């Protein structure tokens, strides 16, 4: 009786669905444990009852998937830091809080601050756990590193939610990493206690030394940043222009070490170690060396999620190949995903996790049909044909997710990949080969570095050329989670039909396409119903009105709000956008909104329902309320904090609702 007769992929999917359910349902541990024990009991009974006919026993299959589902829920609960009894959120917060913790990760800095994750050990003199996002001014005399234990006394703030509708919500992104609050420190406010020489500490030092070893080449900053990204997994020095070019060309994945880079290293190692198969125990030695080198590389890059996923996957592929398992790739995909989610269930919500496994599954599923497209047996022709076919397969697999998360579709990705994949392979292998020579033979390293530099510059120039074609990328595409799900149904039914090319099976494809069309019509219809007014969370005044499928915006500085308005138009599935100068009175249905700007003029015969204060008007708010008798006062972000504070106090005294956008976020009226 073997449970593994059941498809590992479907068990992993059940486990992942359990993680999703736990995130949204937020059940108590008692409820989870009680439900899990019931399912475990039913599973045990069905296991005993089924004997050796597992595939014929439907009840056993259902209980197996339910068991995986509840295991996913419990795993998510256990790994949620906030469920710990000593989590800092369960302590009382003061105006300033004494915080002691360990720096666990260095993040990409912004213009003014270096950013870190810290793991707490004490909060206001009591033992505590949890993670915080720490901002340290770049002017601080000491730069923090992984392993540094620090103490500070500062105010703690919640990570702010999305400023405006349909924008990226950084707070939700951090929440899935168990980070809920942040600290902004002042210059030299942090007290350094000691450095804990953990594995992460030594890895960071080693990675820093390896990066510095390339200084002998005197590469340009852009070239050096590419080397750090491709070889050491450090993207913090990449400039915005480079990131934008690679993104617009549809090859941004090149700059983040992932399955592509690990596969290059994997096959390069296999090629170098091929002679070992001729000696006794050579296959075993080869397997151990492959696993050792892959995981050593993963450690050097700091074990980011993308590298961990790829190395785990190729580790299981290596093990499967050693045991000559013809379907090792499918088991490797399932087991690697299951183990990653078991150790870190929040990884499921990582966009990179979803994209990488969608791409790998798509490549593997389409791979049996590649040979039908080979027009030549020439190895070079086959290589470039494979690049095209693999790129197409990967793009099909990630298309729904790309549309949902990035709302864009690069059309020139094939043209880009044909050149970039060979070049990036050369850069990666050359960089790894040059790395030891930086220490032992600097002269040879400098000579080889010229080839590396030329390859990187050629790669950057080509991508810059591709990115210049504005028609080569479709942007601002409206897409929803429902459309993502229905599009994947279309892809799955097409793959099923390709494997079972019978005329009767085309009905599944047609049905899924019809479902996708109905989903789009439904989403479009729902979004275009009704009207709403939005006062955006912007530094200069921006007011938008959506009326069915049209958006009208009012602002005196339209050039400052292009991105915000594009997000809103896309998110509401609107067909048109009109921008007009700010007006004194705006209407939405029966509601009339009076805008009081810096001139402070509000005398009007119109009875306003809502008054919007903008650009710091010099008014007596109590008198305005008495004369105009509005139902609500809104102050946008263009006002000074002290004015907002004064108006808030006045509204409390007059018992009228007050909405400060700088504090509460954007204002919506339906």
């Amino acid at each position: 009786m073997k449970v593994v007769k059941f498809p590992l992929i479907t068990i992993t999917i059940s486990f992942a669905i359990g993680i999703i359910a736990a995130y949204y349902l937020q059940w108590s541990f008692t409820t989870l444990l009680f439900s899990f024990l019931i399912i475990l009991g039913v599973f045990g009974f069905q296991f005993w009852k089924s004997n050796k006919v597992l595939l014929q026993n439907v009840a056993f299959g259902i209980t197996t998937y339910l068991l995986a589902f509840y295991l996913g829920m419990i795993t998510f609960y256990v790994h949620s830091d906030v469920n710990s009894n000593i989590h800092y959120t369960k302590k009382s917060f003061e105006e300033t809080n004494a915080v002691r913790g360990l720096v666990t990760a260095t993040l990409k800095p912004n213009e003014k601050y270096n950013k870190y994750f810290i793991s707490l050990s004490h909060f206001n003199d009591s033992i505590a756990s949890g993670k915080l996002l720490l901002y340290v001014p770049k002017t601080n005399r000491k730069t923090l590193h992984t392993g540094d234990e620090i103490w500070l006394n500062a105010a703690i703030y919640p990570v702010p939610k999305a400023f405006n509708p349909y924008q990226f919500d950084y707070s939700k992104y951090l929440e899935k990493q168990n980070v809920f609050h942040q600290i902004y420190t002042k210059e030299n406010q942090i007290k350094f206690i000691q450095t804990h020489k953990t594995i992460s500490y030594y890895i960071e030092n080693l990675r820093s030394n390896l990066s510095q070893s390339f200084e002998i080449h005197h590469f340009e900053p852009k070239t050096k940043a590419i080397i750090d990204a491709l070889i050491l997994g450090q993207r913090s020095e990449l400039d915005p222009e480079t990131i934008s070019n690679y993104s617009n060309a549809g090859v941004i994945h090149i700059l983040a070490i992932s399955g592509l880079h690990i596969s290059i290293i994997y096959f390069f190692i296999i090629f170098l170690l091929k002679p070992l198969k001729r000696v006794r125990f050579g296959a075993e030695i080869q397997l151990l060396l492959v696993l050792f080198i892959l995981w050593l590389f993963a450690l050097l890059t700091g074990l980011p999620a993308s590298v961990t996923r790829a190395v785990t996957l190729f580790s299981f592929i290596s093990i499967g190949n050693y045991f000559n398992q013809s379907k090792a790739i499918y088991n490797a995909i399932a087991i690697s995903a299951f183990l990653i989610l078991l150790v870190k269930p929040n990884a499921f919500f990582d966009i990179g996790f979803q994209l990488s496994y969608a791409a790998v599954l798509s490549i593997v599923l389409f791979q049996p049909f590649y040979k039908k497209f080979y027009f030549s047996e020439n190895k070079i022709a086959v290589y470039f044909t494979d690049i095209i076919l693999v790129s197409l397969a990967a793009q099909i697999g990630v298309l729904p997710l790309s549309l949902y998360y990035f709302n864009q579709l690069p059309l020139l990705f094939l043209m880009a990949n044909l050149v970039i994949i060979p070049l990036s392979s050369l850069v990666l292998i050359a960089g790894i080969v040059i790395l030891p020579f930086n220490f032992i033979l600097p002269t040879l390293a400098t000579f080889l570095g010229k080839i590396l530099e030329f390859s990187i510059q050629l790669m950057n120039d080509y991508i810059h050329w591709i990115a210049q074609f504005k028609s080569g990328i479709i942007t601002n595409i409206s897409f929803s989670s429902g459309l993502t799900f229905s599009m994947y149904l279309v892809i799955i039914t097409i793959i099923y039909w390709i494997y079972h090319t019978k005329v009767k099976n085309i009905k599944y494809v047609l049905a899924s396409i019809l479902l996708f069309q109905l989903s789009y019509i439904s989403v479009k219809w729902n979004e275009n119903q009704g009207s709403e007014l939005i006062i955006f969370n912007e530094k200069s005044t921006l007011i938008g009105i959506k009326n069915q499928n049209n958006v009208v915006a009012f602002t005196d500085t339209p050039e400052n709000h292009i991105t915000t308005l594009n997000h809103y138009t896309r998110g509401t599935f609107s067909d048109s956008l009109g921008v007009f100068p700010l007006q004194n009175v705006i209407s939405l249905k029966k509601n009339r909104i009076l805008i009081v700007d810096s001139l402070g003029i509000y005398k009007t015969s119109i009875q306003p329902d809502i008054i919007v204060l903008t650009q710091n008007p010099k008014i007596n708010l109590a008198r305005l309320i008495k004369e105009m008798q509005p139902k609500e006062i809104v102050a946008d972000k263009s006002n000074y904090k002290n004015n907002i504070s004064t108006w808030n106090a006045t509204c409390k005294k007059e018992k009228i609702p007050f909405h400060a956008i700088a504090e509460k976020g954007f204002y919506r009226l339906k």
Side-chain angles (χ1 to χ4, degrees):
M1 190 185 307
K2 296 183 179 179
V3 179
V4 292
K5 287 182 182 179
F6 281 92
L8 294 176
I9 287 181
T10 50
I11 290 176
T12 302
I13 290 172
S14 299
F15 184 81
I17 294 173
I19 292 172
I20 299 170
Y23 174 76
Y24 287 104
L25 295 178
Q26 298 291 322
W27 283 359
S28 67
F29 183 72
T30 304
T31 303
L32 278 174
L33 184 61
F34 182 73
S35 303
F36 178 75
L37 291 175
I38 291 176
I39 293 298
L40 186 62
V42 175
F43 172 81
F45 173 74
Q46 291 295 336
F47 184 83
W48 169 79
K49 184 180 177 182
S50 59
N51 201 359
K52 294 185 178 181
V53 287
L54 301 186
L55 292 178
Q56 289 76 32
N57 194 317
V58 176
F60 183 84
I62 293 172
T63 52
T64 299
Y65 296 135
L66 281 175
L67 187 66
F69 172 83
Y70 276 100
L71 182 61
M73 291 190 75
I74 288 180
T75 302
F76 179 83
Y77 183 93
V78 170
H79 285 84
S80 295
D81 292 352
V82 74
N83 292 322
S84 170
N85 291 329
I86 60 171
H87 195 262
Y88 73 91
T89 55
K90 293 181 170 63
K91 314 285 184 181
S92 59
F93 280 45
E94 308 294 338
E95 188 173 338
T96 59
N97 300 272
V99 171
R100 181 171 178 171
L102 197 69
V103 177
T104 57
T106 302
L107 307 177
K108 187 173 182 176
N110 58 28
E111 292 182 2
K112 295 182 180 179
Y113 293 93
N114 291 316
K115 297 162 60 178
Y116 309 90
F117 281 149
I118 61 171
S119 178
L120 299 186
S121 59
H122 292 80
F123 185 82
N124 289 336
D125 298 326
S126 63
I127 296 175
S129 65
K131 290 166 63 178
L132 291 172
L133 175 61
L134 182 68
Y135 289 85
V136 180
K138 287 187 173 180
T139 54
N140 204 63
R141 64 170 176 261
K142 177 175 174 55
T143 302
L144 298 179
H145 300 280
T146 302
D148 287 350
E149 186 177 3
I150 60 173
W151 180 93
L152 68 152
N153 196 301
I156 295 179
Y157 303 99
V159 178
K161 305 218 177 265
F163 285 165
N164 291 302
Y166 308 107
Q167 287 186 346
F168 173 69
D169 195 333
Y170 191 48
S171 66
K172 287 187 177 180
Y173 169 77
L174 289 180
E175 180 184 321
K176 293 182 177 75
Q177 300 184 58
N178 287 308
V179 178
F180 305 94
H181 291 82
Q182 60 187 9
I183 298 177
Y184 281 89
T185 62
K186 298 177 182 178
E187 187 176 354
N188 302 322
Q189 182 182 4
I190 296 174
K191 294 183 179 179
F192 172 77
I193 299 175
Q194 61 179 321
T195 298
H196 294 261
K197 296 186 177 180
T198 60
I199 293 178
S200 298
Y201 167 82
Y202 286 110
I203 290 173
E204 185 175 307
N205 277 344
L206 177 59
R207 190 166 58 240
S208 176
N209 290 332
L210 293 176
S211 177
Q212 289 176 7
S213 72
F214 283 97
E215 298 296 335
I216 63 173
H217 300 271
H218 304 291
F219 290 139
E220 292 182 358
K222 284 188 177 182
T223 302
K224 178 61 165 51
I226 294 288
I227 292 172
D228 285 342
L230 286 180
I231 300 173
L232 300 173
Q234 303 304 299
R235 301 177 61 188
S236 59
E237 298 303 321
L238 290 170
D239 61 289
E241 182 186 3
T242 299
I243 294 174
S244 176
N245 285 339
Y246 277 74
S247 178
N248 292 337
V251 290
I252 188 64
H253 57 278
I254 293 293
L255 298 179
I257 298 179
S258 57
L260 172 64
H261 307 82
I262 300 302
S263 67
I264 294 168
I265 295 171
Y266 171 77
F267 289 112
F268 182 62
I269 298 169
I270 292 293
F271 172 76
L272 292 179
L273 299 179
K274 199 172 183 179
L276 282 175
K277 288 195 173 182
R278 300 174 184 173
V279 302
R280 190 182 180 186
F281 302 117
E284 289 80 4
I285 296 171
Q286 184 191 65
L287 174 63
L288 292 175
L289 284 174
V290 167
L291 295 177
F292 173 76
I293 294 171
L294 286 179
W295 282 102
L296 177 63
F297 180 77
L299 285 171
L300 290 178
T301 59
L303 290 174
S306 59
V307 177
T308 304
R309 285 192 300 270
V311 169
T312 302
L313 176 60
F314 277 93
S315 296
F316 281 104
I317 290 174
S318 301
I319 295 169
N321 289 338
Y322 172 77
F323 288 106
N324 294 317
Q325 294 293 318
S326 59
K327 294 184 179 180
I329 183 65
Y330 295 102
N331 289 331
I333 292 171
I335 294 173
S336 64
F338 182 82
L339 289 179
I340 289 171
L341 294 177
L342 190 64
V343 174
K344 191 178 180 182
N346 277 334
F348 179 81
F349 301 103
D350 183 5
I351 298 173
F353 178 91
Q354 298 172 21
L355 290 172
S356 62
Y357 276 98
V360 169
L361 273 172
S362 185
I363 291 169
V364 170
L365 288 169
F366 282 108
Q367 192 272 336
F369 307 98
Y370 290 174
K371 290 183 180 179
K372 294 182 180 180
F373 298 91
Y374 292 159
F375 60 89
S376 170
E377 294 184 359
N378 181 278
K379 289 186 177 180
I380 296 176
V382 169
Y383 173 73
F384 282 100
T385 304
D386 275 338
I387 289 177
I388 294 174
L389 295 175
V390 169
S391 298
L392 273 173
Q395 192 67 30
I396 291 170
V398 303
L399 178 59
L401 290 173
S402 297
L403 292 174
Y404 178 63
Y405 287 119
F406 309 118
N407 305 106
Q408 64 182 31
L409 177 63
L411 302 177
L412 301 177
F413 67 93
L414 282 179
M415 188 187 297
N417 281 333
L418 273 173
V419 175
I420 292 306
I421 290 179
L423 275 178
S424 63
S425 302
L426 173 63
V427 168
L428 182 60
I429 293 171
I432 293 174
V433 170
I434 291 171
L435 193 54
F437 289 128
N438 288 339
F439 297 94
I440 57 178
L441 286 172
T443 305
L444 177 60
T446 304
F447 172 74
L448 295 175
K450 301 295 182 183
I451 301 174
L452 180 62
E453 183 177 27
F454 174 77
S455 301
I456 292 174
Q457 289 177 348
L458 180 62
M459 189 167 68
N460 286 344
D461 291 343
Y462 182 73
I463 288 298
H464 178 70
W465 178 71
I466 291 287
Q468 285 182 323
F469 294 96
K470 299 301 180 183
S471 59
I473 182 170
I474 303 173
T475 59
N476 219 35
I477 301 172
S478 298
F479 219 69
S480 68
S481 56
L483 290 175
T484 304
F485 178 76
S486 57
M487 181 175 278
Y488 269 120
L489 282 182
V490 174
I491 294 172
I492 291 168
T493 54
I494 290 174
I495 292 173
Y496 177 80
W497 179 71
I498 291 174
Y499 275 85
H500 305 86
T501 51
K502 295 180 180 180
V503 176
K504 66 177 184 179
N505 290 332
I506 197 71
K507 64 185 179 184
Y508 301 119
V509 178
L510 295 175
S512 63
I513 293 173
L514 178 61
L515 178 62
F516 176 76
Q517 291 174 327
L518 292 174
S519 298
Y520 181 81
I521 293 170
S522 175
V523 171
K524 178 78 172 170
W525 188 85
N526 287 329
E527 288 290 345
N528 292 161
Q529 292 302 302
S531 306
E532 68 176 16
L533 176 140
I534 300 287
I535 303 175
F536 292 91
N537 191 354
E538 298 279 292
K539 291 182 178 179
S540 57
T541 306
L542 175 63
I543 300 175
I545 292 180
K546 184 184 79 71
N547 186 15
Q548 294 184 345
N549 62 340
N550 300 310
V551 173
V552 176
F554 299 95
T555 178
D556 291 331
T557 55
E559 66 280 0
N560 296 338
H561 307 298
I562 295 172
T563 302
T564 299
L565 290 174
N566 283 339
H567 284 314
Y568 183 70
T569 306
R570 184 201 69 235
T572 55
F573 283 72
S574 298
D575 296 327
S576 66
L577 169 65
V579 182
F580 300 94
L582 196 62
Q583 301 177 8
N584 293 112
V585 179
I586 299 173
S587 298
L588 177 69
K589 297 179 182 177
K590 295 181 180 180
N591 295 294
R592 298 194 176 183
I593 298 92
L594 174 65
I595 315 298
V596 182
D597 58 17
S598 58
L599 298 177
I601 299 173
Y602 59 86
K603 297 292 184 180
T604 176
S605 59
I606 296 173
Q607 178 69 37
D609 298 282
I610 298 169
I611 292 179
V612 179
L613 305 176
T614 178
Q615 301 168 19
N616 301 289
K618 296 180 180 180
I619 56 170
N620 184 320
L621 185 58
R623 184 188 301 161
L624 184 150
I625 292 172
K626 185 176 180 181
E627 293 180 8
M628 308 303 295
Q629 296 183 349
K631 297 176 182 177
E632 189 171 6
I633 302 291
V634 179
D636 72 8
K637 202 174 182 178
S638 65
N639 298 291
Y640 296 138
K641 287 184 178 181
N642 56 343
N643 285 342
I644 292 173
S645 178
T646 303
W647 295 333
N648 187 25
T650 302
C651 287
K652 282 184 179 179
K653 184 178 179 181
E654 299 293 333
K655 297 181 180 180
I656 186 170
F658 179 74
H659 185 104
I661 286 177
E663 299 172 1
K664 298 179 180 180
F666 64 88
Y667 176 84
R668 174 180 270 134
L669 174 67
K670 290 190 176 183

